[in-house]
Structures are given as C-alpha cells and as structure tokens.
Amino acid sequence: MFHPLSKFLPLSLKKAKIEKQVEATMVCQEFNKIIQNIWGEQIYDQMKVISFKDKILTVAILSSILASELQLKQEEIIKKINLKFKKDTVERLRFLV
C-alpha cells in the first residue's frame, strides 16, 4: 500500500528539527512572488528579504519612498502570505532602509 509523500514530509521536517527553517524559506519566497506580482521585477530588485523570525518578516529596501509604499500595502501582503499558509504565519513586516 502506498502513501503520498506529502503525508510524511511534515513529520520528517519536524523530526529533523528544520521545520521552522523550511517555513521561513517558504515565507520569504512567497513574499518575493507577491512583490513581483504587485510591482514587477524593477521594484523587486530594490529590496531583499533579510529574515523571518517570530512572525516578523524583515525586508531591506533601497528607498524610503518604496518603504512607504510597502507600508501602505503591508496588510494586503500579510493577508496573502497567511492565506497561502492557511494560518497566521506573518504578523507584521519590518522595513530597513
């Protein structure tokens, strides 16, 4: 009898104690996709995700104007990320200019 790999993967990640690191990487990738969809490649190139820890996603940004724009879209971005993960994964974004 065969079982889908998706059934065992979460248990394997937990057992290997890398569950949080994998989730952090996936959150960062999802943020990048959302930014590219909203503003495109040109704006995406002006920022970089630094870390994800304690439900706070930290992003370095080259421009204070862009940081303001992201601040305005913060709730929308957080909702999209949390919807993707089907739980409150991200509570807030922190911007470093």
Side-chain angles (χ1 to χ4, degrees):
M1 183 152 120
F2 293 102
H3 296 283
L5 183 60
S6 61
K7 182 178 180 180
F8 297 103
L9 192 56
L11 295 173
S12 298
L13 294 175
K14 198 172 215 172
K15 189 174 182 180
K17 297 185 171 120
I18 59 170
E19 186 178 31
K20 286 185 181 181
Q21 293 91 332
V22 171
E23 181 180 63
T25 301
M26 291 171 61
V27 167
C28 295
Q29 288 176 341
E30 187 62 24
F31 173 83
N32 290 337
K33 285 181 196 174
I34 291 168
I35 295 304
Q36 286 176 331
N37 287 338
I38 293 174
W39 285 293
E41 199 71 32
Q42 186 176 7
I43 299 297
Y44 168 74
D45 289 341
Q46 296 183 37
M47 64 183 76
K48 182 177 180 177
V49 176
I50 302 297
S51 68
F52 175 66
K53 186 176 179 182
D54 299 326
K55 297 188 176 195
I56 300 171
L57 186 63
T58 304
V59 182
I61 304 173
L62 294 178
S63 149
S64 59
I65 295 169
L66 185 53
S68 296
E69 285 290 322
L70 271 173
Q71 191 90 33
L72 293 173
K73 296 255 185 204
Q74 179 172 249
E75 282 186 44
E76 177 186 343
I77 294 167
I78 290 171
K79 281 181 186 176
K80 286 182 178 185
I81 293 171
N82 290 340
L83 187 65
K84 172 75 175 183
F85 290 94
K86 299 178 180 144
K87 62 179 183 174
D88 289 339
T89 306
V90 178
E91 287 183 355
R92 75 180 189 99
L93 302 178
R94 189 172 85 188
F95 306 111
L96 304 175
V97 181

XYZ file of all heavy atoms in Angstrom:
801
model
N 0.838 -1.180 0.000
C 0.000 0.000 0.000
C 0.887 1.249 0.000
O 1.834 1.334 0.766
C -0.900 -0.019 1.236
C -1.845 1.115 1.282
S -3.313 0.655 2.173
C -3.303 1.815 3.461
N 0.568 2.196 -0.860
C 1.361 3.412 -1.000
C 0.696 4.572 -0.278
O -0.526 4.696 -0.261
C 1.535 3.775 -2.476
C 2.374 2.780 -3.214
C 1.790 1.824 -4.026
C 3.752 2.804 -3.101
C 2.549 0.911 -4.711
C 4.529 1.898 -3.783
C 3.933 0.946 -4.589
N 1.536 5.436 0.298
C 1.061 6.657 0.948
C 1.729 7.836 0.261
O 2.900 7.751 -0.114
C 1.429 6.652 2.436
C 0.772 5.550 3.207
N -0.544 5.589 3.587
C 1.254 4.365 3.655
C -0.842 4.492 4.247
N 0.232 3.718 4.299
N 1.006 8.931 0.109
C 1.625 10.100 -0.533
C 2.769 10.662 0.326
O 2.710 10.643 1.553
C 0.483 11.101 -0.650
C -0.572 10.630 0.282
C -0.363 9.169 0.489
N 3.791 11.143 -0.363
C 4.952 11.726 0.307
C 4.565 12.921 1.166
O 5.138 13.148 2.234
C 5.985 12.146 -0.735
C 7.303 12.715 -0.229
C 8.021 11.694 0.642
C 8.165 13.134 -1.386
N 3.547 13.666 0.729
C 3.109 14.852 1.476
C 2.629 14.505 2.882
O 2.621 15.357 3.765
C 2.013 15.593 0.717
O 0.890 14.745 0.553
N 2.266 13.265 3.091
C 1.828 12.835 4.418
C 3.013 12.704 5.380
O 2.903 12.965 6.567
C 1.101 11.494 4.297
C 0.553 10.957 5.592
C -0.197 9.662 5.368
C -0.746 9.133 6.675
N -1.481 7.886 6.482
N 4.157 12.315 4.845
C 5.329 12.065 5.678
C 6.267 13.259 5.796
O 7.034 13.349 6.744
C 6.116 10.869 5.134
C 5.325 9.602 5.167
C 4.765 9.091 4.010
C 5.107 8.935 6.359
C 4.018 7.927 4.036
C 4.365 7.769 6.399
C 3.821 7.264 5.235
N 6.214 14.164 4.844
C 7.148 15.290 4.825
C 7.077 16.159 6.070
O 8.118 16.430 6.678
C 6.943 16.124 3.557
C 8.007 17.150 3.254
C 9.388 16.522 3.162
C 7.684 17.868 1.960
N 5.897 16.597 6.525
C 5.860 17.418 7.740
C 6.459 16.707 8.964
O 7.169 17.317 9.758
C 4.374 17.702 7.948
C 3.771 17.555 6.602
C 4.572 16.496 5.920
N 6.208 15.429 9.080
C 6.774 14.672 10.200
C 8.292 14.569 10.097
O 9.004 14.673 11.098
C 6.162 13.265 10.253
C 4.672 13.195 10.556
C 4.164 11.770 10.415
C 4.392 13.720 11.954
N 8.792 14.376 8.885
C 10.238 14.291 8.672
C 10.923 15.609 8.993
O 11.996 15.635 9.588
C 10.538 13.891 7.228
O 10.011 12.622 6.954
N 10.304 16.718 8.587
C 10.876 18.036 8.871
C 10.919 18.294 10.369
O 11.902 18.818 10.897
C 10.066 19.132 8.182
C 10.093 19.149 6.658
C 9.145 20.202 6.125
C 11.495 19.359 6.137
N 9.856 17.912 11.051
C 9.789 18.099 12.496
C 10.843 17.244 13.195
O 11.538 17.698 14.098
C 8.391 17.742 13.001
C 8.064 18.280 14.344
C 6.600 18.032 14.663
C 6.070 19.191 15.467
N 4.649 19.134 15.663
N 10.970 16.027 12.756
C 11.936 15.108 13.343
C 13.372 15.598 13.130
O 14.217 15.475 14.016
C 11.763 13.708 12.735
C 12.569 12.643 13.414
C 12.234 11.278 12.843
C 13.010 10.194 13.576
N 12.695 8.865 13.036
N 13.637 16.158 11.969
C 14.971 16.674 11.659
C 15.212 18.051 12.282
O 16.289 18.619 12.151
C 15.168 16.742 10.153
N 14.200 18.607 12.919
C 14.264 19.919 13.577
C 14.604 21.053 12.599
O 15.328 21.983 12.940
C 15.262 19.886 14.731
C 14.832 18.920 15.815
C 15.756 18.969 17.001
C 15.179 18.187 18.091
N 15.464 17.205 18.775
N 14.057 20.950 11.411
C 14.257 22.010 10.420
C 12.933 22.591 9.939
O 12.880 23.329 8.968
C 15.091 21.523 9.214
C 14.406 20.337 8.533
C 16.517 21.215 9.616
C 15.027 19.953 7.216
N 11.872 22.292 10.644
C 10.539 22.750 10.260
C 10.466 24.284 10.173
O 9.957 24.848 9.202
C 9.516 22.220 11.259
C 8.092 22.507 10.909
C 7.125 21.910 11.919
O 7.470 21.804 13.115
O 6.021 21.561 11.495
N 11.017 24.972 11.179
C 10.957 26.443 11.195
C 11.797 27.048 10.079
O 11.406 28.043 9.462
C 11.430 26.983 12.548
C 10.425 26.787 13.650
C 10.871 27.432 14.929
C 9.852 27.210 16.035
N 10.254 27.848 17.286
N 12.963 26.466 9.813
C 13.826 26.987 8.748
C 13.164 26.826 7.378
O 13.232 27.727 6.542
C 15.189 26.275 8.744
C 16.026 26.576 9.964
C 15.805 25.579 11.102
O 14.744 24.996 11.238
N 16.817 25.390 11.929
N 12.522 25.687 7.162
C 11.844 25.456 5.882
C 10.666 26.421 5.739
O 10.470 27.019 4.678
C 11.385 23.982 5.762
C 10.490 23.786 4.551
C 12.590 23.064 5.698
N 9.911 26.612 6.811
C 8.785 27.543 6.763
C 9.283 28.968 6.486
O 8.699 29.686 5.670
C 8.000 27.518 8.068
C 6.814 28.463 8.032
C 6.013 28.453 9.319
O 6.575 28.834 10.371
O 4.841 28.076 9.261
N 10.379 29.369 7.125
C 10.927 30.711 6.905
C 11.324 30.902 5.446
O 11.047 31.948 4.845
C 12.123 30.949 7.822
N 11.942 29.901 4.863
C 12.340 29.983 3.454
C 11.115 30.098 2.554
O 11.093 30.905 1.623
C 13.161 28.737 3.066
O 14.318 28.677 3.902
C 13.588 28.785 1.616
N 10.101 29.332 2.862
C 8.878 29.372 2.059
C 8.162 30.713 2.186
O 7.631 31.241 1.205
C 7.960 28.219 2.455
C 8.520 26.860 2.054
S 7.615 25.451 2.718
C 6.006 25.666 2.010
N 8.163 31.306 3.375
C 7.560 32.628 3.586
C 8.311 33.674 2.763
O 7.698 34.512 2.096
C 7.542 33.005 5.082
C 7.228 34.481 5.273
C 6.532 32.155 5.832
N 9.631 33.623 2.792
C 10.445 34.578 2.027
C 10.173 34.447 0.536
O 10.036 35.456 -0.169
C 11.928 34.370 2.321
S 12.379 34.739 4.025
N 10.078 33.225 0.047
C 9.782 33.008 -1.370
C 8.389 33.532 -1.739
O 8.214 34.133 -2.800
C 9.888 31.524 -1.717
C 11.303 31.012 -1.728
C 11.377 29.522 -1.988
O 10.410 28.789 -1.820
N 12.552 29.070 -2.409
N 7.438 33.316 -0.870
C 6.074 33.795 -1.139
C 6.035 35.327 -1.167
O 5.379 35.927 -2.017
C 5.094 33.243 -0.102
C 3.651 33.555 -0.394
C 3.141 32.959 -1.696
O 3.694 31.950 -2.182
O 2.167 33.522 -2.240
N 6.748 35.973 -0.239
C 6.835 37.432 -0.232
C 7.404 37.921 -1.567
O 6.872 38.855 -2.173
C 7.710 37.918 0.926
C 7.981 39.396 0.896
C 7.062 40.288 1.414
C 9.151 39.898 0.338
C 7.298 41.656 1.373
C 9.405 41.254 0.303
C 8.470 42.134 0.819
N 8.482 37.289 -2.022
C 9.098 37.679 -3.293
C 8.116 37.556 -4.454
O 8.040 38.447 -5.305
C 10.345 36.845 -3.554
C 11.481 37.189 -2.620
O 11.545 38.282 -2.059
N 12.385 36.255 -2.419
N 7.346 36.476 -4.491
C 6.350 36.297 -5.556
C 5.290 37.396 -5.516
O 4.910 37.944 -6.548
C 5.644 34.946 -5.404
C 6.447 33.758 -5.816
C 5.593 32.506 -5.638
C 6.423 31.251 -5.658
N 5.601 30.056 -5.347
N 4.823 37.709 -4.308
C 3.792 38.736 -4.155
C 4.309 40.088 -4.641
O 3.616 40.805 -5.371
C 3.314 38.808 -2.692
C 2.535 37.542 -2.338
C 2.461 40.057 -2.456
C 2.275 37.371 -0.853
N 5.528 40.444 -4.249
C 6.111 41.729 -4.663
C 6.256 41.779 -6.177
O 5.937 42.799 -6.803
C 7.468 41.956 -3.963
C 7.277 42.097 -2.455
C 8.190 43.180 -4.541
C 6.308 43.173 -2.020
N 6.734 40.704 -6.780
C 6.874 40.680 -8.239
C 5.521 40.820 -8.929
O 5.420 41.500 -9.949
C 7.564 39.391 -8.688
C 9.047 39.386 -8.381
C 9.711 38.075 -8.741
O 9.084 37.019 -8.720
N 10.986 38.146 -9.076
N 4.490 40.215 -8.363
C 3.148 40.327 -8.961
C 2.571 41.733 -8.816
O 1.877 42.210 -9.706
C 2.192 39.318 -8.334
C 2.469 37.902 -8.785
O 3.075 37.677 -9.819
N 2.021 36.945 -7.996
N 2.840 42.396 -7.684
C 2.288 43.732 -7.453
C 3.044 44.792 -8.247
O 2.440 45.618 -8.926
C 2.308 44.087 -5.948
C 1.339 43.191 -5.169
C 1.942 45.560 -5.731
C 1.401 43.362 -3.664
N 4.390 44.790 -8.156
C 5.181 45.873 -8.745
C 6.087 45.478 -9.899
O 6.619 46.331 -10.581
C 6.046 46.540 -7.675
C 5.264 47.431 -6.778
C 4.647 48.598 -7.112
C 5.002 47.243 -5.390
N 4.014 49.134 -6.025
C 4.225 48.321 -4.945
C 5.355 46.268 -4.460
C 3.798 48.461 -3.632
C 4.931 46.395 -3.160
C 4.157 47.482 -2.757
N 6.326 44.227 -10.093
C 7.183 43.800 -11.186
C 8.648 43.687 -10.772
O 9.037 43.965 -9.637
N 9.440 43.290 -11.729
C 10.860 42.978 -11.498
C 11.688 44.200 -11.090
O 12.590 44.093 -10.269
C 11.435 42.349 -12.776
C 12.706 41.582 -12.579
C 12.499 40.280 -11.825
O 11.439 39.659 -11.949
O 13.421 39.888 -11.100
N 11.394 45.357 -11.661
C 12.199 46.551 -11.397
C 12.150 46.943 -9.916
O 13.173 47.242 -9.310
C 11.730 47.713 -12.269
C 12.628 48.930 -12.145
C 12.189 50.033 -13.091
O 11.158 49.956 -13.733
N 12.985 51.081 -13.165
N 10.985 46.935 -9.318
C 10.843 47.267 -7.900
C 11.383 46.131 -7.037
O 12.056 46.362 -6.031
C 9.362 47.559 -7.552
C 8.850 48.745 -8.357
C 9.172 47.768 -6.061
C 9.544 50.055 -8.097
N 11.114 44.905 -7.445
C 11.589 43.727 -6.707
C 13.109 43.761 -6.527
O 13.628 43.382 -5.480
C 11.147 42.463 -7.438
C 11.799 41.208 -6.941
C 11.426 40.642 -5.728
C 12.799 40.584 -7.678
C 12.026 39.490 -5.262
C 13.399 39.435 -7.223
C 13.018 38.890 -6.021
O 13.618 37.756 -5.555
N 13.820 44.242 -7.534
C 15.283 44.307 -7.475
C 15.794 45.326 -6.455
O 16.974 45.327 -6.126
C 15.859 44.639 -8.854
C 15.713 43.476 -9.827
O 15.521 42.333 -9.368
O 15.785 43.710 -11.047
N 14.919 46.184 -5.953
C 15.329 47.219 -4.999
C 15.113 46.808 -3.542
O 15.263 47.624 -2.641
C 14.568 48.508 -5.280
C 14.902 49.097 -6.633
C 14.189 50.401 -6.854
O 14.028 51.201 -5.936
N 13.763 50.645 -8.080
N 14.761 45.536 -3.318
C 14.545 45.074 -1.945
C 15.014 43.641 -1.800
O 15.158 42.913 -2.780
C 13.084 45.203 -1.553
C 12.139 44.347 -2.343
S 10.429 44.605 -1.881
C 10.099 46.158 -2.674
N 15.244 43.250 -0.556
C 15.685 41.887 -0.274
C 15.181 41.475 1.104
O 15.297 42.224 2.069
C 17.206 41.806 -0.303
C 17.724 40.417 -0.070
C 19.215 40.358 -0.181
C 19.658 38.925 0.062
N 21.074 38.775 -0.089
N 14.624 40.276 1.175
C 14.187 39.748 2.470
C 15.438 39.390 3.265
O 16.316 38.694 2.777
C 13.288 38.507 2.299
C 12.921 37.925 3.644
C 12.045 38.847 1.516
N 15.503 39.900 4.489
C 16.654 39.651 5.356
C 16.399 38.451 6.262
O 17.248 37.585 6.402
C 16.973 40.895 6.219
C 17.255 42.098 5.336
C 18.113 40.624 7.168
C 18.463 41.955 4.454
N 15.226 38.414 6.882
C 14.946 37.314 7.808
C 13.448 37.179 8.060
O 12.672 38.086 7.787
C 15.662 37.542 9.138
O 15.111 38.649 9.813
N 13.104 36.034 8.604
C 11.757 35.786 9.090
C 11.899 35.070 10.424
O 12.399 33.946 10.488
C 10.942 34.934 8.115
C 9.587 34.573 8.651
C 8.639 35.562 8.862
C 9.269 33.277 8.970
C 7.390 35.244 9.379
C 8.022 32.942 9.475
C 7.084 33.934 9.682
N 11.484 35.756 11.488
C 11.623 35.198 12.827
C 10.521 35.766 13.717
O 10.210 36.956 13.632
C 12.994 35.559 13.403
C 13.300 34.915 14.725
C 14.702 35.255 15.181
C 14.965 34.604 16.519
N 16.280 34.936 17.035
N 9.955 34.918 14.557
C 8.905 35.339 15.490
C 7.749 36.054 14.784
O 7.259 37.084 15.251
C 9.477 36.228 16.597
C 10.532 35.515 17.421
O 10.399 34.289 17.611
O 11.483 36.182 17.866
N 7.386 35.537 13.619
C 6.270 36.050 12.816
C 6.505 37.447 12.255
O 5.576 38.133 11.847
C 4.962 36.009 13.605
C 4.545 34.602 13.980
C 3.165 34.581 14.574
C 2.754 33.134 14.842
N 1.338 33.006 15.091
N 7.775 37.890 12.237
C 8.129 39.200 11.680
C 9.027 38.985 10.468
O 10.086 38.367 10.572
C 8.848 40.084 12.719
C 7.940 40.309 13.930
C 9.275 41.407 12.083
C 8.625 40.976 15.100
N 8.595 39.505 9.334
C 9.360 39.409 8.098
C 10.121 40.722 7.917
O 9.520 41.782 7.817
C 8.416 39.165 6.920
C 9.037 38.888 5.570
C 9.860 37.611 5.599
C 7.950 38.767 4.512
N 11.446 40.637 7.907
C 12.296 41.824 7.805
C 12.795 41.959 6.371
O 13.356 41.015 5.813
C 13.487 41.727 8.776
O 12.977 41.534 10.103
C 14.330 42.991 8.731
N 12.600 43.166 5.821
C 12.939 43.424 4.422
C 13.841 44.657 4.337
O 13.522 45.703 4.900
C 11.658 43.682 3.592
C 11.990 43.912 2.137
C 10.671 42.542 3.755
N 14.971 44.533 3.641
C 15.853 45.671 3.376
C 15.404 46.326 2.067
O 15.140 45.631 1.081
C 17.297 45.213 3.263
N 15.316 47.668 2.084
C 14.810 48.409 0.927
C 15.770 49.558 0.623
O 16.255 50.232 1.533
C 13.403 48.969 1.217
C 12.472 47.828 1.623
C 12.849 49.701 0.022
C 11.117 48.279 2.093
N 16.007 49.799 -0.665
C 16.948 50.841 -1.071
C 16.384 52.255 -0.987
O 17.132 53.211 -0.960
C 17.417 50.584 -2.511
C 18.257 49.329 -2.731
C 18.613 49.168 -4.202
C 19.513 49.368 -1.879
N 15.072 52.388 -0.924
C 14.455 53.710 -0.997
C 13.412 53.893 0.098
O 12.586 53.003 0.336
C 13.829 53.864 -2.385
O 12.698 54.668 -2.372
N 13.415 55.061 0.715
C 12.402 55.348 1.739
C 11.012 55.511 1.107
O 10.000 55.202 1.738
C 12.771 56.602 2.528
O 12.882 57.711 1.674
N 10.965 55.946 -0.140
C 9.691 56.071 -0.849
C 9.080 54.688 -1.066
O 7.887 54.478 -0.831
C 9.879 56.808 -2.204
C 10.320 58.242 -1.944
C 8.610 56.759 -3.040
C 10.782 58.982 -3.167
N 9.909 53.750 -1.460
C 9.446 52.380 -1.648
C 9.019 51.764 -0.316
O 8.022 51.038 -0.248
C 10.540 51.533 -2.299
C 10.180 50.107 -2.667
C 8.929 50.041 -3.525
C 11.339 49.437 -3.358
N 9.729 52.085 0.755
C 9.354 51.602 2.089
C 7.963 52.119 2.465
O 7.152 51.389 3.033
C 10.382 52.039 3.124
N 7.689 53.367 2.130
C 6.358 53.939 2.394
C 5.277 53.215 1.598
O 4.189 52.953 2.113
C 6.343 55.426 2.052
O 7.220 56.134 2.884
N 5.575 52.918 0.343
C 4.620 52.185 -0.498
C 4.343 50.798 0.089
O 3.192 50.361 0.149
C 5.169 52.028 -1.925
C 5.104 53.277 -2.754
C 3.680 53.648 -3.129
O 2.859 52.746 -3.413
O 3.378 54.846 -3.133
N 5.395 50.132 0.527
C 5.227 48.813 1.128
C 4.432 48.900 2.424
O 3.640 48.004 2.730
C 6.580 48.165 1.402
C 7.160 47.349 0.267
C 8.572 46.899 0.604
C 6.308 46.153 -0.059
N 4.664 49.952 3.172
C 3.935 50.157 4.424
C 2.429 50.239 4.151
O 1.635 49.670 4.885
C 4.415 51.451 5.086
C 3.926 51.639 6.497
C 4.891 51.040 7.499
O 6.075 51.048 7.268
N 4.378 50.526 8.583
N 2.072 50.928 3.076
C 0.659 51.057 2.707
C 0.049 49.713 2.283
O -1.133 49.469 2.494
C 0.494 52.069 1.569
C 0.811 53.526 1.919
C 0.780 54.389 0.660
C -0.154 54.059 2.956
N 0.857 48.843 1.690
C 0.383 47.544 1.207
C 0.640 46.422 2.214
O 0.355 45.256 1.935
C 1.079 47.194 -0.106
C 0.781 48.125 -1.239
C -0.159 47.461 -2.175
C -0.369 48.338 -3.400
N -1.613 48.043 -4.039
N 1.163 46.765 3.380
C 1.572 45.769 4.364
C 0.454 44.777 4.706
O 0.665 43.557 4.683
C 2.070 46.463 5.638
C 2.487 45.520 6.728
C 3.151 46.237 7.886
O 4.332 46.059 8.067
N 2.409 47.013 8.652
N -0.721 45.263 5.018
C -1.836 44.385 5.394
C -2.197 43.426 4.264
O -2.439 42.240 4.500
C -3.057 45.202 5.808
C -2.957 45.760 7.207
C -4.254 46.433 7.632
O -5.336 45.856 7.386
O -4.177 47.524 8.213
N -2.238 43.944 3.054
C -2.566 43.117 1.892
C -1.519 42.006 1.705
O -1.870 40.843 1.456
C -2.619 43.990 0.636
C -2.870 43.225 -0.636
C -2.764 44.102 -1.875
O -2.813 45.341 -1.757
O -2.630 43.513 -2.960
N -0.251 42.351 1.839
C 0.833 41.380 1.680
C 0.752 40.304 2.759
O 0.855 39.111 2.472
C 2.202 42.093 1.704
C 2.346 42.996 0.465
C 3.341 41.078 1.767
C 3.499 43.971 0.527
N 0.539 40.726 3.995
C 0.444 39.774 5.110
C -0.749 38.833 4.904
O -0.630 37.620 5.105
C 0.342 40.517 6.460
C 1.678 41.193 6.773
C -0.059 39.570 7.578
C 1.632 42.127 7.966
N -1.875 39.380 4.478
C -3.060 38.546 4.226
C -2.787 37.496 3.161
O -3.188 36.335 3.290
C -4.247 39.410 3.809
C -4.936 40.103 4.953
C -6.116 40.915 4.463
C -6.717 41.725 5.594
N -7.808 42.589 5.138
N -2.107 37.901 2.101
C -1.803 36.960 1.016
C -0.867 35.846 1.495
O -1.062 34.682 1.135
C -1.183 37.696 -0.177
C -2.183 38.504 -0.957
C -1.552 39.178 -2.141
C -2.603 39.948 -2.926
N -2.067 40.539 -4.155
N 0.127 36.201 2.268
C 1.057 35.184 2.786
C 0.314 34.228 3.712
O 0.444 33.005 3.601
C 2.252 35.833 3.515
C 3.132 36.596 2.513
C 3.083 34.771 4.249
C 4.214 37.441 3.154
N -0.456 34.780 4.639
C -1.178 33.935 5.594
C -2.220 33.056 4.906
O -2.446 31.925 5.331
C -1.817 34.794 6.682
C -0.783 35.389 7.613
O 0.343 34.908 7.702
N -1.150 36.436 8.307
N -2.829 33.572 3.855
C -3.785 32.774 3.091
C -3.078 31.586 2.436
O -3.599 30.470 2.432
C -4.459 33.655 2.035
C -5.605 33.022 1.254
C -6.771 32.703 2.185
C -6.066 33.980 0.164
N -1.898 31.823 1.919
C -1.124 30.760 1.276
C -0.799 29.643 2.271
O -0.852 28.461 1.942
C 0.168 31.356 0.698
C 1.149 30.370 0.176
C 0.725 29.807 -1.152
C 1.821 28.909 -1.706
N 1.500 28.400 -3.001
N -0.459 30.011 3.507
C -0.060 29.023 4.508
C -1.226 28.560 5.388
O -1.047 27.733 6.268
C 1.076 29.577 5.371
C 2.358 29.707 4.604
C 2.695 30.900 3.992
C 3.200 28.624 4.461
C 3.860 31.018 3.258
C 4.370 28.731 3.730
C 4.696 29.927 3.119
N -2.398 29.133 5.154
C -3.624 28.750 5.860
C -3.509 28.882 7.380
O -4.106 28.113 8.127
C -4.035 27.327 5.480
C -4.329 27.188 4.012
C -4.675 25.785 3.633
C -4.949 25.745 2.142
N -4.498 24.558 1.520
N -2.717 29.853 7.823
C -2.595 30.172 9.251
C -1.926 31.539 9.386
O -1.437 32.094 8.410
C -1.799 29.106 9.996
C -0.365 28.936 9.524
C 0.348 27.871 10.343
C 1.792 27.768 9.901
N 2.557 26.861 10.745
N -1.928 32.080 10.593
C -1.305 33.383 10.828
C 0.208 33.205 10.955
O 0.777 33.215 12.043
C -1.872 34.039 12.090
C -3.302 34.505 11.891
O -3.695 34.688 10.718
O -4.007 34.694 12.885
N 0.852 33.073 9.818
C 2.291 32.844 9.774
C 3.051 34.145 10.002
O 4.024 34.178 10.744
C 2.684 32.242 8.406
O 1.899 31.083 8.181
C 4.146 31.857 8.377
N 2.599 35.220 9.358
C 3.254 36.524 9.460
C 2.318 37.483 10.180
O 1.149 37.594 9.827
C 3.604 37.082 8.061
C 4.238 38.458 8.161
C 4.515 36.121 7.313
N 2.844 38.194 11.178
C 2.047 39.206 11.892
C 2.375 40.608 11.438
O 1.510 41.477 11.432
C 2.280 39.085 13.404
C 1.624 37.882 14.021
C 1.810 37.808 15.513
O 2.541 38.651 16.107
O 1.243 36.886 16.118
N 3.638 40.829 11.053
C 3.980 42.172 10.586
C 5.238 42.140 9.722
O 6.016 41.186 9.749
C 4.134 43.153 11.742
C 5.372 43.029 12.554
C 5.377 44.082 13.690
N 6.652 44.118 14.355
C 7.603 45.011 14.106
N 7.423 45.944 13.219
N 8.740 44.972 14.777
N 5.412 43.228 8.959
C 6.616 43.417 8.152
C 7.458 44.498 8.806
O 6.924 45.465 9.351
C 6.256 43.859 6.747
C 5.334 42.936 5.935
C 5.051 43.560 4.574
C 5.927 41.565 5.771
N 8.756 44.326 8.773
C 9.675 45.343 9.279
C 10.575 45.755 8.129
O 11.127 44.906 7.430
C 10.509 44.778 10.434
C 11.324 45.859 11.135
C 11.969 45.303 12.357
N 13.232 44.684 11.922
C 14.006 43.969 12.678
N 13.673 43.725 13.919
N 15.124 43.474 12.232
N 10.733 47.070 7.950
C 11.492 47.581 6.818
C 12.789 48.240 7.292
O 12.774 49.041 8.215
C 10.668 48.591 6.028
C 9.330 48.042 5.616
C 8.164 48.526 6.185
C 9.237 47.021 4.692
C 6.932 48.018 5.821
C 8.000 46.507 4.321
C 6.852 47.009 4.887
N 13.884 47.882 6.645
C 15.177 48.510 6.903
C 15.561 49.314 5.664
O 15.657 48.758 4.578
C 16.251 47.451 7.176
C 15.960 46.465 8.307
C 17.046 45.405 8.381
C 15.845 47.202 9.633
N 15.720 50.618 5.847
C 16.044 51.495 4.720
C 17.516 51.876 4.785
O 18.048 52.161 5.798
C 15.172 52.766 4.731
C 15.493 53.647 3.552
C 13.707 52.381 4.720
